[in-house]
């Protein structure tokens, strides 16, 4: 079975947000004022996530990413990953983390079948890291990145939200890092997302500008795309150990090729990060829905997927939902 939407896109990638809680307070992610947390009973339980994952895989989902909030703050998360990893038919499981709790979890993540890591790190400067995230955890994150590389995790993708006047002075430094280390350095255009403005609403830096600045360091050769690739345009400096990825949700949206569906921490299926459309799966599941009924909810969610998010054309400045509960 496959999940095909109204625009003939094959949906085979599910991102699961396992919590809306996070141990960092990134200025550009957390909204102003009080962060309203989901109630414990409103968050999907592990056995519910596992059942949804199993149904998703039976419908042709091949790749699952565990995200949040910060997935590593949820107790017992590694056991959930182990269980999902063991589901037959799944080709790829990965995690997106801020890396703060990664070091102590690396071994168990490896044993649970994780090989691919996405780690968010917007700056290489300790003081700036503290300013952006509200925590003095740069060293903890950096140590876990190096340890993960030693252990053989591959690829290790470092996600940088590129923001004017925040970290644009580090574009070349991150570019150089890809030459000496085997990391995939990925620059993501900042998106004005959230129901309430975040404390910092920076300007995004267009990927073309980032590429131009990187090209001053040396020639960038394009890397051809492989089956499990996401939306990044991939490049490598000659002889580099790592690579560069440019992700351009603002200037070159990749909606035409979007193969994603999201499961929010509160148990809704969300077909587009940047649209408020979502459908509740937690309610039916808790009310005794059969697998066939849950399959129908998946099909409905996929049919609700918009053709594109039109981020640059919409009148509204803010896009619906908090990153922390939808999962980036
Ligand atoms: N806590 C995990 C982490 O930090 O990677 C996973 C959740 S976090 C919401 C997922 C990703 O979304 C991070 O790489 C974060 O930098 C990114 N993100 C958050 N707000 C963003 C925004 N407004 N525009 C672009 N990316 C954003």
């Amino acid at each position: 079975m496959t999940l095909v939407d109204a625009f003939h896109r094959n949906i085979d990638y599910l991102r699961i947000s396992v919590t809306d809680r996070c141990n960092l307070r990134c200025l550009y992610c957390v909204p102003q004022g009080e962060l309203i947390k989901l109630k414990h009973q409103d968050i999907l339980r592990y056995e519910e996530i596992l059942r949804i994952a199993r149904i998703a895989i039976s419908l042709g989902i091949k790749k699952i990413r565990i995200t949040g909030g910060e997935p590593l703050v949820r107790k017992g998360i590694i056991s959930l990953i182990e269980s999902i990893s063991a589901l037959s038919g799944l080709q790829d499981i990965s995690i997106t983390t801020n890396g703060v709790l990664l070091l102590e979890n690396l071994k168990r993540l490896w044993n649970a079948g994780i090989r691919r890591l996405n780690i968010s790190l917007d700056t290489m400067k300790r003081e700036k890291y503290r300013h952006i995230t509200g925590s003095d955890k740069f060293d903890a994150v950096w140590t876990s990145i190096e340890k993960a590389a030693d252990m053989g995790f591959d690829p290790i993708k470092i996600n940088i939200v590129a923001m004017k006047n925040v970290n644009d002075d580090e574009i070349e430094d991150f570019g150089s890092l890809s030459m000496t280390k085997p990391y995939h350095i990925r620059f993501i255009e900042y998106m004005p997302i959230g129901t309430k403005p975040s404390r910092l609403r920076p300007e995004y830096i267009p990927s073309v500008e980032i590429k131009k600045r990187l090209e001053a360091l040396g020639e960038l050769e394009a890397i051809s795309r492989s089956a499990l690739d996401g939306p990044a345009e991939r490049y490598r400096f000659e002889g580099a150990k790592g690579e560069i990825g440019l992700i351009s949700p603002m200037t070159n949206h990749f909606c035409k090729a979007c193969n994603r569906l999201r499961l929010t921490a509160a148990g809704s299926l969300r077909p587009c990060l940047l649209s408020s459309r979502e459908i509740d799966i937690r309610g039916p599941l808790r009310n005794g829905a059969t697998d066939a009924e849950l399959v129908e909810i998946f099909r409905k969610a996929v049919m609700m997927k918009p053709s594109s998010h039109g981020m640059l054309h919409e009148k509204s400045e803010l896009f619906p939902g908090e990153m922390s509960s939808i999962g980036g």
Side-chain angles (χ1 to χ4, degrees):
M1 281 210 275
T2 52
L3 280 172
V4 178
D5 76 0
F7 305 95
H8 311 294
R9 291 169 298 196
N10 188 19
I11 311 304
D12 59 5
Y13 178 14
L14 179 67
R15 294 170 76 102
I16 301 179
S17 173
V18 293
T19 179
D20 63 334
R21 315 290 206 263
C22 189
N23 46 358
L24 295 181
R25 290 282 171 272
C26 297
L27 286 173
Y28 62 86
C29 185
V30 172
Q32 278 173 12
E34 203 192 338
L35 186 63
I36 299 160
K37 289 185 192 149
L38 289 169
K39 292 197 193 98
H40 184 68
Q41 67 267 27
D42 292 339
I43 294 177
L44 282 181
R45 296 191 285 268
Y46 284 156
E47 65 272 21
E48 294 171 333
I49 295 178
L50 193 60
R51 182 166 174 215
I52 294 171
R54 184 175 51 72
I55 289 170
I57 295 167
S58 78
L59 286 168
I61 293 290
K62 296 192 167 47
K63 177 172 165 179
I64 288 182
R65 173 171 298 280
I66 306 296
T67 177
E70 170 50 39
L72 295 178
V73 300
R74 185 156 174 191
K75 229 168 134 194
I77 182 65
I78 311 281
S79 306
L80 174 75
I81 294 173
E82 263 163 14
S83 308
I84 294 179
S85 216
L87 293 171
S88 83
L90 187 66
Q91 290 180 7
D92 184 68
I93 179 155
S94 52
I95 186 170
T96 297
T97 171
N98 58 33
V100 169
L101 298 174
L102 189 55
L103 191 63
E104 61 257 46
N105 281 298
L106 277 173
K107 213 161 164 199
R108 294 190 64 212
L109 282 169
W110 180 275
N111 292 339
I114 296 269
R115 295 293 178 272
R116 305 157 65 82
L117 291 174
N118 281 22
I119 301 166
S120 305
L121 183 67
D122 301 312
T123 175
M124 295 285 289
K125 297 180 180 170
R126 218 170 167 201
E127 189 45 38
K128 196 190 286 181
Y129 183 90
R130 200 195 51 72
H131 172 67
I132 294 176
T133 66
S135 288
D136 192 13
K137 295 288 180 193
F138 173 79
D139 290 345
V141 180
W142 187 249
T143 308
S144 50
I145 291 174
E146 297 209 300
K147 175 76 178 165
D150 283 351
M151 286 174 66
F153 283 90
D154 181 38
I156 296 172
K157 297 182 180 174
I158 299 185
N159 286 344
I160 302 141
V161 178
M163 299 168 279
K164 267 190 193 146
N165 301 322
V166 178
N167 57 1
D168 50 353
D169 56 328
E170 296 185 65
I171 291 174
E172 289 81 1
D173 294 347
F174 275 116
S176 303
L177 188 64
S178 81
M179 297 182 187
T180 53
K181 300 278 187 182
Y183 309 143
H184 293 201
I185 303 294
R186 304 181 346 141
F187 296 96
I188 306 169
E189 289 171 348
Y190 165 79
M191 294 177 275
I193 192 175
T195 48
K196 289 187 266 172
S198 48
R199 281 171 291 161
L200 187 71
R201 297 194 68 72
E203 256 182 81
Y204 69 90
I205 311 173
S207 290
V208 280
E209 193 178 316
I210 295 175
K211 184 162 179 248
K212 211 162 140 202
R213 282 183 49 183
L214 292 172
E215 278 167 341
L217 297 177
E219 200 180 324
L220 278 176
E221 48 189 64
I223 301 175
S224 54
R225 303 174 56 77
S226 59
L228 290 174
D229 271 358
E233 269 176 54
R234 297 169 58 193
Y235 300 93
R236 184 182 288 119
F237 288 110
E238 206 188 335
K241 289 193 172 155
E243 57 176 80
I244 300 287
L246 299 175
I247 304 181
S248 321
M250 298 300 288
T251 57
N252 183 19
H253 66 72
F254 28 82
C255 306
K256 253 194 191 147
C258 183
N259 60 347
R260 297 167 177 202
L261 188 61
R262 290 178 163 80
L263 176 65
T264 68
S268 290
L269 286 175
R270 197 164 174 131
C272 172
L273 174 64
L274 300 167
S275 148
S276 54
R277 297 178 193 180
E278 60 176 35
I279 184 165
D280 175 40
I281 191 165
R282 186 191 72 208
L285 193 140
R286 290 188 181 171
N287 287 327
T290 61
D291 279 6
E293 285 164 342
L294 298 180
V295 162
E296 266 326 291
I297 295 174
F298 263 92
R299 296 219 179 276
K300 270 193 201 145
V302 161
M303 289 316 275
M304 279 162 43
K305 195 169 167 73
S307 64
S308 74
H309 63 65
M311 171 88 86
L312 291 176
H313 318 296
E314 300 273 332
K315 288 198 181 67
S316 150
E317 237 229 312
L318 295 170
F319 281 77
E322 303 308 336
M323 229 21 171
S324 52
S325 61
I326 313 167

